[in-house]
Amino acid sequence: MPSVDELPRAVRHQDATVFLLDQRRLPGEVVIEAYTDAMSVERAIREMRVRGAPAIGMAAAWALVVELERSAEQDPQRVRRHIEQLAGHLRAARPTAVNLAWAVDRMLVRLARAPAERDALIAHLADEAQRIEDEDRAICRAIGEHGLTLLRPDCGVLTHCNAGALAVSERGTALAPLYAAGERGLPVRIFAAETRPVLQGARLTAWELGQAGLDVTLICDNMAAALMAEGAIDLVLMGTDRVTANGDVVNKIGTLGVAILAHHFGIPFYVACPSSTFDAATARGVEVEIEERDATEVTHVGGVAIAPSGVKVRNPAFDVTPADLVTGIITEHGIARAPLGINLRQLLSAA
Amino acid sequence: MPSVDELPRAVRHQDATVFLLDQRRLPGEVVIEAYTDAMSVERAIREMRVRGAPAIGMAAAWALVVELERSAEQDPQRVRRHIEQLAGHLRAARPTAVNLAWAVDRMLVRLARAPAERDALIAHLADEAQRIEDEDRAICRAIGEHGLTLLRPDCGVLTHCNAGALAVSERGTALAPLYAAGERGLPVRIFAAETRPVLQGARLTAWELGQAGLDVTLICDNMAAALMAEGAIDLVLMGTDRVTANGDVVNKIGTLGVAILAHHFGIPFYVACPSSTFDAATARGVEVEIEERDATEVTHVGGVAIAPSGVKVRNPAFDVTPADLVTGIITEHGIARAPLGINLRQLLSAA
C-alpha cells in the first residue's frame, strides 16, 4: 500500500547537499536534483523548481547550511559576511513569500548567536534549519488531525491548487487531513481542480495524492458547480497564502469562485494553514495587492499556443475570499469558525 | 475595419460538397475541409471538427443533400431507406444538442413529402437545408437586435464557450448582440472565458471576436468571480444547447458556475438561443442526459500531457442551470424573463 511517507520530499538535506524535487517537471518526470551551493538553490527558488511558501523557506535555510559545509574558509569574520550576503540574495528570490524571509531571518538570528568556531557554527545553523523543518512537519500533522474531524466515510472533498506535501515538509496543509484519513483507513473521494493557468492541481495535487494511494479524481475548474449540484461534494478544503485580520482569505485564483459555489449549495468551505499565515497587520483582503502574471501562462499550455496570438489577457494570480464565505480556518491550534477575525485571534492568542 | 462578415463560415454547401471549417485547428490554422458523403460529416460532428448546436444541425442537413447528390442509386425505395438510415446516425452523433435532432427531423419530414423522382427529391431536400440555414441567419440577426437593448456604452460582458459565428450560420446567438454593438459603434468590453477542457472560448470566441475587430480579453474560467468582484462584469451572455419546458438551461460545462456567481454579485445572466432550442417535451433540466466525454480532453492540451498518466477524470460536457438563476432568454421573437417556463411558452406561441 503506497503512503504519503513514500512520496519524494520537496526539500531534503543530506551529506552536505540540498536535494530538491523539480516540480516544474512533474508529473511527467520525477527528477531530484542535488544542490551544493546557496546561489544554485536561490536560482531554483526563482525558477519555481521548488515552490510552496514553507518549502522555499526550508530550501533557503538548508542552502545556507550546505554553503558552510562545503566551504574551506576558516576565518570567522569572512564566513559570517559571506553567509549574510547569501541570506540577502535568498531572501529576495521570491519577494512576496512571507515564509522565505521568515526562515532566512531565523537563520540570521541564530548565526548572530552561534559560536565562531566553524564546526560549532555549522552545527548551530543545521540545528535551526532542522527546527524549521520539524516545526513545519508538526504543524502539518496537527492540521491533519484537526481537519480529520470534518471528514465522514465516503465523503467527497474538493480541493484546488496544491497545498500538499510538495509545498511543505510533508503532508501539506489542505491535503494533510486527507493523508490522515488515508492512514486511518477512512475512505474519502477527493476531487482535484486542475487550477488554471499553471495547473498545480492537475500536475501536483493529482500526482501526489495518487502516489500516496488516495482516491483522487481530476476535474477542470469549471466543473465544480456541476459536481456540487449532483451531490458529489460534501466539503471544500483549500490552502491559503494569507489570512487578513478580519478573516479574508487570499489564495490562488479560483478560490473565491469555489467559495461562492459552496455557499450557494450549503457545502462547508474550509481553509487550512499554519498560524504564521495569519496577517494581523492587514485589516481586510482588499488591501492586499494582487500580482498580475504573464499573459503566456494563459495563452500557452506546455509550450503549445491555445489562443490567438496577441490576444488581450487578464491573469490575476490570486483572489480574495471574504470571511463570511469561509466556514472555518484549520490551524495547528484548532479550527476557528465565524466570526473568523475574532475567533482566529482568540485561537492564536490562547495557543 | 474588419467585420463579422469576413469570417470564414463554419458550414457551407456548394458543388455537391459540404465545406466545414475545422474548428479543432483554430486559432493556429484556418483549414476548410471538403466532405462528399454523410458518414464523413457524421464523424466530423462526433469529433467536434464542427460544433455548436445550429452549425451541426446545418452540417447534418447538408450532409443528407450531398449524399443524394453524389449517389448513383435510382430506386426510390432504396434511396429513402438509405437517407433514413444516415439520418439516424447523424441524429445520434451528439446526444445533447436538440438542434441536431430537430434539423435531421425536418429533413425527414420533407423527405416523406418529397416526390420520388431523384432530381426533384434532391431539390426538395436542398431547399429544406437552405431554409434551415436562411432561417438561422435571420434568427441570429433578430437575437442580435433584441440582445443589443441590454448593452450600455463601455459595459463589460462575460461570455463562455462559443455561441458565435462559428457555431451557427453567422453572428452567433450569444455573440450576435456584441456584433450588432460593434456595427453601431457601441463600445463593449468583452471577456471570453477559455472554457476548459476543449477551450472553445480561447480558441474560437477570442479568435472570431478579434477577427471582427471587437475588444475581447481572454480569461481562465476560474477568474470570472475575481472579475465580478472588482466590478469588471456588467452582464453575462451565454448560448445554450437546450432549454427545457420549465426554463432550465443545458449548456457547456461551466455555465452553471457562472450563473451562480452572477446571481451572487447581482449581475444579469442572459441566455441567447433560437426558439428551436426550446424543448417543451422535457419538463426539467435534470431529465436531460449529460454526455461524459473522453478523459484525454482533460488530461491533455494540444497533445501535451498535463496530468499524471492514468489519473481518474470526470468530464461532463454540459451542466444544467436552473431557470431561477437565468435573468432572461433572448430569442428571435424577443426576450423572455421570469417565470421563464411560462413566459417562454407565451413568447413562442404569440410568435
Side-chain angles (χ1 to χ4, degrees):
Chain A
M1 175 70 183
S3 94
V4 61
D5 301 321
E6 285 159 40
L7 278 176
R9 280 160 58 194
V11 180
R12 191 164 55 84
H13 170 259
Q14 194 180 321
D15 303 332
T17 306
V18 179
F19 294 94
L20 298 180
L21 173 62
D22 188 346
Q23 301 195 27
R24 299 193 318 181
R25 293 163 81 170
L26 287 173
E29 298 172 283
V30 179
V31 177
I32 293 166
E33 282 180 333
Y35 293 81
T36 53
D37 71 280
M39 285 311 285
S40 307
V41 173
E42 187 268 351
R43 194 159 50 247
I45 293 171
R46 263 195 294 114
E47 294 174 352
M48 296 176 71
R49 293 176 189 277
V50 57
R51 52 151 287 285
I56 62 177
M58 275 185 286
W62 284 121
L64 294 175
V65 173
V66 162
E67 186 77 19
L68 277 175
E69 289 173 327
R70 296 267 175 174
S71 161
E73 180 62 63
Q74 294 290 340
D75 178 71
Q77 289 298 342
R78 278 204 290 271
V79 165
R80 270 166 206 273
R81 236 185 352 258
H82 181 55
I83 292 296
E84 282 163 5
Q85 260 178 7
L86 289 173
H89 289 300
L90 283 162
R91 211 177 182 287
R94 296 280 307 274
T96 49
V98 170
N99 295 58
L100 176 59
W102 170 85
V104 168
D105 289 347
R106 268 184 72 160
M107 295 298 281
L108 287 177
V109 168
R110 190 70 184 263
L111 177 71
R113 292 176 186 162
E117 190 271 319
R118 187 175 168 277
D119 285 353
L121 178 62
I122 292 175
H124 272 255
L125 288 191
D127 177 69
E128 193 65 30
Q130 191 63 53
R131 278 169 193 262
I132 292 171
E133 187 176 318
D134 290 346
E135 287 167 21
D136 188 64
R137 186 169 287 124
I139 286 167
C140 290
R141 287 192 174 262
I143 288 173
E145 293 305 312
H146 293 301
L148 184 59
T149 63
L150 304 172
L151 304 179
R152 300 287 168 266
D154 294 314
C155 66
V157 176
L158 173 65
T159 189
H160 185 75
C161 198
N162 178 263
L166 293 168
V168 297
S169 57
E170 61 170 31
R171 287 160 188 270
T173 50
L175 302 192
L178 305 173
Y179 287 121
E183 279 178 345
R184 313 294 165 85
L186 179 77
V188 176
R189 295 170 292 106
I190 310 168
F191 295 89
E194 62 177 12
T195 319
R196 282 280 288 147
V198 185
L199 294 163
Q200 293 93 338
R203 294 191 304 104
L204 306 179
T205 298
W207 180 80
E208 67 165 88
L209 293 173
Q211 289 285 308
L214 300 184
D215 175 7
V216 60
T217 298
L218 177 64
I219 62 167
C220 297
D221 301 321
N222 69 18
M223 295 171 185
L227 266 69
M228 288 180 180
E230 73 179 47
I233 311 291
D234 301 294
L235 180 75
V236 178
L237 273 180
M238 295 278 196
T240 174
D241 292 79
R242 199 193 298 202
V243 177
T244 57
N246 68 335
D248 288 353
V249 169
V250 183
N251 191 38
K252 181 62 57 198
I253 188 73
T255 302
L256 170 62
V258 176
I260 294 168
L261 299 180
H263 181 75
H264 178 84
F265 287 104
I267 296 168
F269 179 93
Y270 282 91
V271 170
C273 62
S275 56
S276 58
T277 310
F278 188 55
D279 174 16
T282 303
R284 301 184 307 146
V286 287
E287 294 167 32
V288 178
E289 196 195 333
I290 300 298
E291 174 189 5
E292 191 98 14
R293 292 179 62 85
D294 199 82
T296 55
E297 287 187 353
V298 174
T299 57
H300 289 67
V301 175
V304 178
I306 57 156
S309 116
V311 68
K312 272 202 294 190
V313 165
R314 283 291 308 272
N315 185 17
F318 304 95
D319 57 29
V320 177
T321 300
D324 59 8
L325 293 173
V326 179
T327 312
I329 297 186
I330 311 165
T331 76
E332 70 272 30
H333 305 304
I335 302 178
R337 291 190 172 80
L340 271 181
I342 293 164
N343 286 338
L344 257 182
R345 220 169 359 254
Q346 269 181 1
L347 186 74
L348 301 187
S349 62
Chain B
M1 175 69 185
S3 98
V4 61
D5 301 321
E6 286 160 40
L7 282 174
R9 280 159 60 192
V11 180
R12 191 163 54 84
H13 171 259
Q14 194 180 320
D15 302 333
T17 306
V18 179
F19 294 94
L20 300 179
L21 173 62
D22 188 345
Q23 302 196 27
R24 300 192 318 180
R25 294 163 81 169
L26 289 172
E29 298 173 283
V30 179
V31 177
I32 292 166
E33 281 179 335
Y35 293 81
T36 53
D37 70 281
M39 285 311 286
S40 307
V41 173
E42 187 270 350
R43 194 159 52 248
I45 294 171
R46 263 194 295 114
E47 294 175 353
M48 297 175 69
R49 292 178 191 275
V50 56
R51 30 81 37 217
I56 62 177
M58 273 186 287
W62 283 121
L64 294 175
V65 173
V66 162
E67 185 76 20
L68 278 175
E69 289 173 327
R70 296 266 175 176
S71 161
E73 181 60 64
Q74 294 291 339
D75 178 70
Q77 289 297 343
R78 277 206 289 272
V79 165
R80 269 166 206 274
R81 242 192 339 266
H82 181 54
I83 292 297
E84 281 163 7
Q85 260 179 7
L86 290 172
H89 289 300
L90 284 162
R91 214 178 181 285
R94 296 285 307 275
T96 311
V98 75
N99 297 59
L100 176 59
W102 170 86
V104 169
D105 290 347
R106 267 183 73 158
M107 296 298 281
L108 287 177
V109 168
R110 190 71 185 261
L111 177 71
R113 292 177 187 161
E117 191 271 319
R118 187 174 169 276
D119 284 355
L121 179 62
I122 292 175
H124 272 255
L125 289 192
D127 177 69
E128 193 65 30
Q130 190 63 51
R131 277 169 193 262
I132 292 172
E133 187 175 318
D134 291 346
E135 286 167 23
D136 187 64
R137 187 168 287 124
I139 286 166
C140 289
R141 287 192 173 261
I143 289 173
E145 293 306 312
H146 292 303
L148 184 59
T149 63
L150 303 172
L151 304 179
R152 299 287 167 267
D154 293 316
C155 65
V157 176
L158 174 64
T159 189
H160 185 74
C161 195
N162 177 262
L166 293 169
V168 296
S169 57
E170 60 170 32
R171 287 163 186 269
T173 50
L175 301 193
L178 305 173
Y179 286 121
E183 280 178 344
R184 314 295 164 85
L186 179 76
V188 176
R189 295 170 293 103
I190 309 168
F191 295 89
E194 62 177 11
T195 319
R196 281 281 287 149
V198 185
L199 295 163
Q200 293 93 337
R203 294 190 303 104
L204 307 179
T205 298
W207 181 79
E208 67 164 88
L209 293 174
Q211 290 285 309
L214 300 184
D215 174 7
V216 59
T217 299
L218 176 64
I219 62 168
C220 296
D221 301 322
N222 68 18
M223 296 171 184
L227 265 70
M228 288 180 180
E230 73 179 46
I233 311 291
D234 301 294
L235 180 74
V236 179
L237 273 180
M238 295 278 195
T240 175
D241 292 79
R242 196 188 298 207
V243 178
T244 57
N246 69 335
D248 288 353
V249 169
V250 183
N251 190 39
K252 181 60 55 198
I253 188 72
T255 302
L256 170 62
V258 176
I260 294 168
L261 298 180
H263 181 75
H264 178 84
F265 287 104
I267 296 168
F269 179 93
Y270 281 91
V271 170
C273 62
S275 56
S276 60
T277 310
F278 188 55
D279 174 15
T282 302
R284 301 184 309 145
V286 288
E287 294 166 31
V288 178
E289 182 201 345
I290 300 297
E291 179 185 356
E292 189 98 14
R293 294 181 60 85
D294 199 82
T296 54
E297 286 187 353
V298 175
T299 57
H300 290 67
V301 174
V304 178
I306 57 156
S309 119
V311 68
K312 272 202 293 189
V313 165
R314 282 292 308 273
N315 186 16
F318 303 93
D319 56 29
V320 177
T321 301
D324 61 7
L325 292 173
V326 180
T327 313
I329 297 186
I330 311 165
T331 76
E332 69 273 30
H333 304 303
I335 303 178
R337 292 191 169 79
L340 271 181
I342 294 165
N343 286 337
L344 257 183
R345 222 171 355 257
Q346 269 181 2
L347 186 73
L348 301 188
S349 62

